């Protein structure tokens, strides 16, 4: 399956789940929407869950979300902290 360059969340969900072939994705482009909206739905023997993330774009790079940048900074912070027992 081929994913567009702007579908990194869909690719991450596919990799975390059952893979690209078993993952259904619907990308919607709407010029009136001011946030990145990701709605994730999953179902299986465990039951079903749905959640939605509405992210703001980076002011200097509208193709990237502020949440992604903050996640990277948070991970770097975690990696550089000393281990506490």
């Amino acid at each position: 399956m081929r994913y567009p360059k702007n579908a990194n969340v869909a690719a991450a969900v596919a990799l975390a789940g059952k893979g690209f072939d078993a993952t259904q994705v619907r990308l919607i482009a709407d010029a009136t929407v001011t946030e990145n909206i990701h709605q994730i739905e999953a179902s299986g023997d465990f039951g079903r869950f749905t959640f939605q993330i509405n992210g703001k774009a980076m002011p200097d790079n509208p193709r990237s979300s502020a949440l992604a940048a903050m996640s990277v900074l948070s991970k770097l912070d975690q990696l550089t902290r000393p281990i506490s027992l």
Side-chain angles (χ1 to χ4, degrees):
M1 169 154 296
R2 294 176 27 196
Y3 281 80
K5 292 178 184 176
N6 61 346
N8 56 353
V9 172
V13 169
L15 290 170
K18 289 189 164 191
F20 288 96
D21 292 333
T23 302
Q24 295 180 12
V25 175
R26 183 174 59 173
L27 296 174
I28 301 171
D30 184 341
T32 65
V33 174
T34 59
E35 298 176 321
N36 294 317
I37 302 170
H38 305 287
Q39 184 172 339
I40 312 297
E41 299 178 10
S43 62
D45 293 341
F46 64 88
R48 177 181 165 86
F49 71 80
T50 301
F51 67 92
Q52 181 171 308
I53 300 170
N54 293 36
K56 301 281 186 193
M58 295 290 293
D60 57 340
N61 183 2
R63 294 184 66 196
S64 218
S65 75
L67 181 59
M70 287 184 265
S71 295
V72 169
L73 291 175
S74 175
K75 187 60 181 177
L76 291 173
D77 182 52
Q78 290 172 4
L79 292 172
T80 59
R81 284 187 188 175
I83 298 173
S84 59
L85 301 173

